[in-house]
Amino acid sequence: MFHAMTYEGTRSEQYQAVLDQLKGLIYEEPDAVANMANASALLNVFLKDINWVGFYVYDGTELVLGPFQGLPACIRIALGRGVCGTAASERKTQLVRNVHDFPGHIACDAATNSEIVVPIVKNGELFGVLDIDSPLLNRFDEEDQVFLEKFVSILAAQL
C-alpha cells in the first residue's frame, strides 16, 4: 500500500524522495497504463500550484490522451502543434513560463498560464510526453526541468 510522504528538506532532497517513490511504485510492473497512472498521481500529490498533470502517448501518428490528474483534456494532439506536439516532434523539453506567449498554444484549460512538457523516448523511439500545467505564470524553472527529465527517464525504463 502506498503512503504519501511528507516532503521535507531542500527542494533537491524533496525531488529525490519523489524519484525514490516512483521507483518503488513501478518496480517490476510491466503495464504502461498502470505505471503512468501512478506516476501522474504521485506528481499530483507532490507538486504544488498545478492544475493538470498527465501523459499523452504517441500512437505512431499523433499524441493521444493517456492517464492524468485534472480536468478533462484534449484527446488528440498533432505532432508539432502546441506545447505537447512541439516537445514530441523536437524530442526536447518545453519549459513555457507564459503559455500565452507560445505560438499555437492549445488551451485545454483556460486557467493554465504556464506549462512544462517532457518527451518520453524509449529505445530511441518516441513513446509520448509528460505534460504539467499551472494556473501560475512562471511556475516551472530549470530545477523542475532537471527533476522531471529524471522522473521521465526512470519511468521510460519501465514502460
Side-chain angles (χ1 to χ4, degrees):
M1 175 181 279
F2 179 80
H3 294 283
M5 293 179 56
T6 55
Y7 300 100
E8 298 174 357
T10 66
R11 195 168 170 207
S12 179
E13 290 168 339
Q14 292 174 29
Y15 284 155
Q16 187 57 53
V18 173
L19 296 175
D20 292 342
Q21 282 188 306
L22 175 65
K23 291 173 188 174
L25 281 171
I26 65 175
Y27 179 72
E28 293 187 346
E29 176 51 60
D31 190 90
V33 172
N35 287 333
M36 289 185 293
N38 271 336
S40 64
L42 177 60
L43 289 174
N44 192 54
V45 168
F46 171 69
L47 294 171
K48 304 300 178 221
D49 299 317
I50 64 168
N51 57 329
W52 200 91
V53 56
F55 297 91
Y56 282 90
V57 178
Y58 182 57
D59 72 355
T61 304
E62 62 191 344
L63 296 172
V64 180
L65 182 64
F68 70 92
Q69 303 278 313
L71 295 175
C74 303
I75 296 173
R76 296 182 181 275
I77 299 174
L79 293 187
R81 185 165 180 259
V83 182
C84 289
T86 300
S89 65
E90 294 181 3
R91 294 187 184 184
K92 181 180 172 194
T93 298
Q94 301 295 304
L95 193 160
V96 182
R97 297 178 192 278
N98 183 345
V99 297
H100 309 289
D101 293 339
F102 191 92
H105 174 255
I106 301 168
C108 292
D109 182 346
T112 295
N113 284 306
S114 62
E115 182 171 8
I116 188 166
V117 180
V118 182
I120 304 167
V121 178
K122 182 168 175 76
N123 300 324
E125 299 293 321
L126 179 65
F127 181 87
V129 299
L130 167 63
D131 178 21
I132 307 174
D133 297 354
S134 173
L136 302 180
L137 291 169
N138 301 303
R139 162 59 182 86
F140 305 104
D141 62 20
E142 288 75 13
E143 189 173 7
D144 293 308
Q145 180 175 340
V146 169
F147 159 66
L148 292 167
E149 287 172 348
K150 287 179 185 176
F151 189 92
V152 162
S153 178
I154 292 166
L155 181 62
Q158 194 63 29
L159 294 175

